Amino acid sequence: AGQAQAPRMAAAGHRGDETGGRAEVTLPAFSMNLPFAALLAHGYKTAESRNSTMFARHGAGVVLLHVGRRLYPDGGQHREIMRRCGAAEAEVERLTKLPPPFRRGQLVAAVLLGPTRLLSAPARSTPASERACVARGGASGRYFTRVLRAEYFSRPVDMPGRAGIFEATVPLDVLPGWA
């Protein structure tokens, strides 16, 4: 109630297409590995960093999150950052895993992205930037994109991931109402 409509990315496709009697929507999507995909979908990770302008080229708006099949090898640095920021071990465990029935190789969440900006190495290394990105400044990408909101789908959608931003068509009823 009273909540503003989320802006759509410029690349957003069709809304309400009928396929087999079920409404579908086509939106931009991106793939990300665990544990960062889970941290993002749970709403803990509030910035996404990349070394490319991937998100800046598409602008702010709703994108879909695909979970890659691999585990990102950061040597547990994300856990250290979370603990340093006050997360208890049980919370770290919960936030770094996908809840059932979600698993790798699926579209799992809607994400509302904000602006993207280029950050210097010192700016990426501040405690606030490391907390937002859940990565050490030296390991994070140069382009930081604000994550304004993230929420799991009502159920997962099986789909192979791809590099960069790709189009994904999902049943309309899996999306959160704000997306």
Side-chain angles (χ1 to χ4, degrees), residues 75-96:
Q77 290 183 15
H78 63 283
R79 292 174 159 292
E80 291 174 26
I81 292 167
M82 293 174 76
R83 284 191 290 264
R84 180 184 75 208
C85 293
E89 192 57 35
E91 184 179 22
V92 171
E93 283 300 313
R94 180 183 68 81
L95 293 173
T96 56

Side-chain angles (χ1 to χ4, degrees), residues 7 9 30 32 36 39-40 43-63 111-120 123-124 128-134 140-150 165:
M9 292 183 88
F30 73 102
M32 162 182 253
F36 299 103
L39 289 166
L40 185 65
Y44 187 86
K45 184 174 167 61
T46 59
E48 173 55 8
S49 73
R50 301 278 169 141
N51 278 318
S52 74
T53 57
M54 179 171 95
F55 295 122
R57 287 190 308 261
H58 290 278
V62 175
V63 295
V111 179
L112 178 58
L113 298 178
T116 298
R117 55 194 184 120
L118 177 64
L119 291 185
S120 66
R124 292 191 312 267
S129 291
E130 289 185 347
R131 161 55 185 93
C133 198
V134 199
S140 64
R142 298 175 300 150
Y143 293 92
F144 266 51
T145 302
R146 277 193 64 207
V147 175
L148 303 175
R149 189 170 188 175
I165 300 275

Side-chain angles (χ1 to χ4, degrees), residues 62-78:
V62 175
V63 295
L64 306 179
L65 174 63
H66 177 272
V67 181
R69 296 206 176 266
R70 293 179 294 160
L71 193 62
Y72 188 84
D74 80 337
Q77 290 183 15
H78 63 283

Side-chain angles (χ1 to χ4, degrees), residues 27-38:
L27 291 167
F30 73 102
S31 192
M32 162 182 253
N33 290 321
L34 289 175
F36 299 103

Side-chain angles (χ1 to χ4, degrees), residues 150-163:
E151 188 175 335
Y152 280 100
F153 290 169
S154 60
R155 65 183 183 279
V157 176
D158 290 325
M159 174 180 282
R162 292 186 221 136

